[in-house]
Amino acid sequence: MDEAHLREDTLDLADGELQALFDGAERLARHEIDATRSGPVFEGTPSAARVRALLEGEQRVPLEGEPLAFVLERCGAILAAGRRTAPTFFGYVQSPASPVGVAADLLASAADQNVTSWRSAPAATELELLTIRWLGQFVRFSDDAEGLLLGGGSAANLTALLWALRTQTSPGADRRALVVYASHEAHFSAAKAAEVLGTSFHPIAVDGRRRLDVRALTDAIAADRAGGREPLCVVATAGSTSTGAVDQIGEIALVTAEHNLWLHVDGAYGAPAASVDSQHHLFSGIEHADSVAIDAHKWLYAPLDCGALLVRRGRHQRAASWSGDADYVRVLAGDPGEEFAFWDHGLELSRRFRALKLWMIFRHYGARRIAAAIEGDIAMARHMADRVLACKDLELLADPGLSICCFRHRPPTVEQSALDSHNERLLKLLQHEGSVYLSNVTVDGHFGLRACITNYRTTRRDVDRTLEVVRALGSQIGEGSRADGVG
Ligand SMILES: *Cc1c(COP(=O)(O)O)cnc(C)c1O
């Protein structure tokens, strides 16, 4: 860099400083990846007081800057006070970031291309459309899917409903009369999306395997029609967040075809499992969907955030024809491909280069290895279920669905009526202890412990160790409550 011509107020770094910054950042990044490889989930007991203490004295915006070395050191302390997606982290639905994805995100930030449209980011736009097609092939939805990347499953579900609305109805339609259907086990973002768009939402009962009850769906559609409402869209859940149940997409597709409704598959968590030969039958019918949501940050090992919304080619009306004739969106182009703009399809204008990480992950690992890792996660959940069944003081609450295992601690010393509160106390202790992590679930009205395994680093030993922690903490509580009773 020629430093002679720099502005006095430049924020740029001298070459030496830049080198030191990247060396320091690389050290921190490598430390995070190493710490995430082995755990624990929390380095110390997580508490609001501890995190606030870390930021003490920082309540006012800093007026004067500090040396980079110092800032990096503080940065390391803040990262270490967070939660890591270690091999014994089984909460929520989150895969660890594959190192390839981490590097891709760094490069995307360095290039900092704004993926609003082809004219603003030509290569990034082409790459995004390409990775969307790859995803469609990967989950066997369609070989030439269209769509876009977005923040996550919630944004994907909202955008899918927007497409359904614009494709299936006229602009003046009474939105309250339009009805969106999804099962009681569907992710709450489906109902939220309906509310945002002002349509009605009709939750549908589930069958014994926690899948949308297709008969109940047909009845609901008939009743709504009879009541003067207009069915619009069915959201089929492909991998429910609680138990991993996959709705019968093929059966639902028959209903949506008969009634001319939009079929959206919420595969935010589960859709990647459709790439696994032994699981694909669960997703049969996905090829009839109009749109599919997939979160690459959940089960494709991409760092946050990376949601995807796929749509059958040519199926949807543009989402944003209201960009109208504003000058800043007027595209001057020759090749029709160069006129492409994501703002016509989604809600956002400025967007980061998310496709780079997907592209690098697929190029480096290949679809086969990724599918094998997903299959391995499913095998870990099965292993956990088998271990639970083999332990007298543990009870399996549901057959594992995809890579989710739900169970509870059930020692003979705890009364049936006290099992919910016993397991709730256990989970609180476990999350506080910090070496392993489970989240909570309600299955058939029972409070349960839930493990979602989406981590290619998780081994049987990690699963066994987690169950040991559950049993040890559980029996401590058992003893505690007996002691309380005596006292
Ligand atoms: C997690 C999840 C969502 C929401 O995805 P975000 O990326 O968190 O917005 C939607 N649907 C299902 C089935 C999910 O598991």
Side-chain angles (χ1 to χ4, degrees):
M1 190 168 63
D2 179 0
E3 294 179 19
H5 301 292
L6 294 181
R7 255 169 53 179
E8 223 166 88
D9 59 354
T10 185
L11 299 181
D12 218 336
L13 300 179
D15 287 345
E17 272 184 308
L18 188 64
Q19 188 61 47
L21 169 66
F22 273 104
D23 290 348
E26 188 204 316
R27 254 196 317 278
L28 280 181
R30 292 196 56 134
H31 176 74
E32 279 308 308
I33 290 174
D34 282 341
T36 303
R37 273 188 181 138
S38 52
V41 173
F42 286 106
E43 252 178 46
T45 302
S47 82
R50 191 170 152 241
V51 177
R52 273 188 225 120
L54 197 62
L55 299 175
E56 202 174 338
E58 294 196 29
Q59 299 314 307
R60 307 288 308 178
V61 59
L63 287 181
E64 304 303 334
E66 293 158 309
L68 275 171
F70 182 69
V71 177
L72 281 169
E73 189 193 311
R74 300 280 300 151
C75 189
I78 287 166
L79 295 182
R83 199 265 303 144
R84 295 199 174 104
T85 309
T88 51
F89 175 80
F90 301 128
Y92 324 120
V93 191
Q94 197 186 332
S95 55
S98 60
V100 174
V102 174
D105 254 358
L106 172 65
L107 295 176
S109 288
D112 200 30
Q113 297 171 3
N114 192 351
V115 196
T116 63
S117 59
W118 197 95
R119 69 168 182 191
S120 170
T125 295
E126 300 281 358
L127 213 65
E128 183 161 335
L129 297 173
L130 178 66
T131 50
I132 286 288
R133 277 203 297 283
W134 286 358
L135 284 177
Q137 295 159 10
F138 187 65
V139 306
R140 307 182 210 185
F141 160 58
S142 158
D143 279 348
D144 59 352
E146 299 179 320
L148 75 173
L149 300 177
L150 16 70
S154 306
N157 289 341
L158 174 60
T159 309
L161 289 194
L162 177 63
W163 287 348
L165 194 69
R166 292 185 66 88
T167 305
Q168 305 277 100
T169 70
S170 51
D174 169 13
R175 292 207 178 173
R176 288 307 300 175
L178 301 170
V179 191
V180 173
Y181 303 85
S183 87
H184 279 289
E185 293 284 320
H187 192 266
F188 72 90
S189 56
K192 194 178 183 182
E195 181 170 339
V196 169
L197 294 172
T199 71
S200 295
F201 180 77
H202 194 150
I204 304 295
V206 292
D207 65 13
R209 293 164 66 183
R210 299 177 186 82
R211 306 174 302 183
L212 180 141
D213 182 332
V214 182
R215 163 99 34 126
L217 172 68
T218 353
D219 291 348
I221 290 171
D224 285 336
R225 279 247 157 88
R229 282 182 290 275
E230 196 185 326
L232 170 70
C233 171
V234 178
V235 178
T237 302
S240 72
T241 318
S242 299
T243 64
V246 182
D247 288 349
Q248 304 166 86
I249 305 170
E251 303 287 312
I252 297 171
L254 293 175
V255 177
T256 53
E258 183 190 337
H259 295 276
N260 188 32
L261 312 183
W262 185 280
L263 173 55
H264 174 60
V265 172
D266 180 2
Y269 153 55
S275 68
V276 177
D277 288 335
S278 64
Q279 306 294 314
H280 183 68
H281 65 280
L282 291 171
F283 299 85
S284 86
I286 194 171
E287 65 280 8
H288 300 306
D290 294 299
S291 53
V292 180
I294 307 171
D295 264 352
H297 60 237
K298 278 184 171 168
W299 212 1
L300 286 173
Y301 316 114
L304 286 155
D305 55 13
C306 196
L309 177 59
L310 281 51
V311 63
R312 186 164 305 295
R313 176 159 294 268
R315 174 71 173 99
H316 72 303
Q317 286 287 326
R318 292 171 159 210
S321 54
W322 55 77
S323 61
D325 47 12
D327 258 343
Y328 45 83
V329 296
R330 197 155 64 88
V331 175
L332 315 168
D335 182 316
E338 297 172 13
E339 286 169 14
F340 183 87
F342 284 107
W343 68 69
D344 278 337
H345 301 268
L347 295 163
E348 294 172 319
L349 179 58
S350 296
R351 300 157 69 250
R352 67 182 270 107
F353 190 178
R354 294 188 179 102
L356 191 62
K357 53 190 163 191
L358 262 185
W359 181 82
M360 273 184 73
I361 286 170
F362 271 106
R363 292 271 329 221
H364 176 68
Y365 297 107
R368 241 193 271 272
R369 259 180 90 184
I370 299 170
I374 292 168
E375 189 167 27
D377 289 335
I378 293 170
M380 286 303 134
R382 185 67 251 174
H383 171 70
M384 183 178 270
D386 291 342
R387 296 287 307 156
V388 165
L389 288 169
C391 293
K392 284 209 164 52
D393 57 344
L394 296 177
E395 179 190 10
L396 193 65
L397 288 177
D399 253 347
L402 301 180
S403 68
I404 296 179
C405 178
C406 300
F407 64 100
R408 63 177 171 174
H409 189 235
R410 187 181 179 168
T413 47
V414 176
E415 304 247 346
Q416 180 77 23
S417 61
L419 281 174
D420 278 2
S421 58
H422 173 75
N423 279 277
E424 205 170 324
R425 277 180 72 189
L426 197 170
L427 185 62
K428 244 191 214 151
L429 277 182
L430 177 134
Q431 292 183 346
H432 197 71
E433 192 258 354
S435 68
V436 308
Y437 198 99
L438 298 165
S439 56
N440 56 295
V441 68
T442 304
V443 181
D444 301 335
H446 303 304
F447 182 95
L449 312 175
R450 169 184 169 283
C452 178
I453 307 179
T454 48
N455 188 337
Y456 48 82
R457 294 185 181 117
T458 299
T459 62
R460 283 163 198 259
R461 234 182 61 201
D462 296 314
V463 169
D464 297 349
R465 190 154 61 84
T466 300
L467 294 181
E468 286 318 313
V469 173
V470 167
R471 300 175 73 193
L473 292 176
S475 50
Q476 264 177 38
I477 302 175
E479 280 162 24
S481 37
R482 273 207 303 285
D484 291 349
V486 171

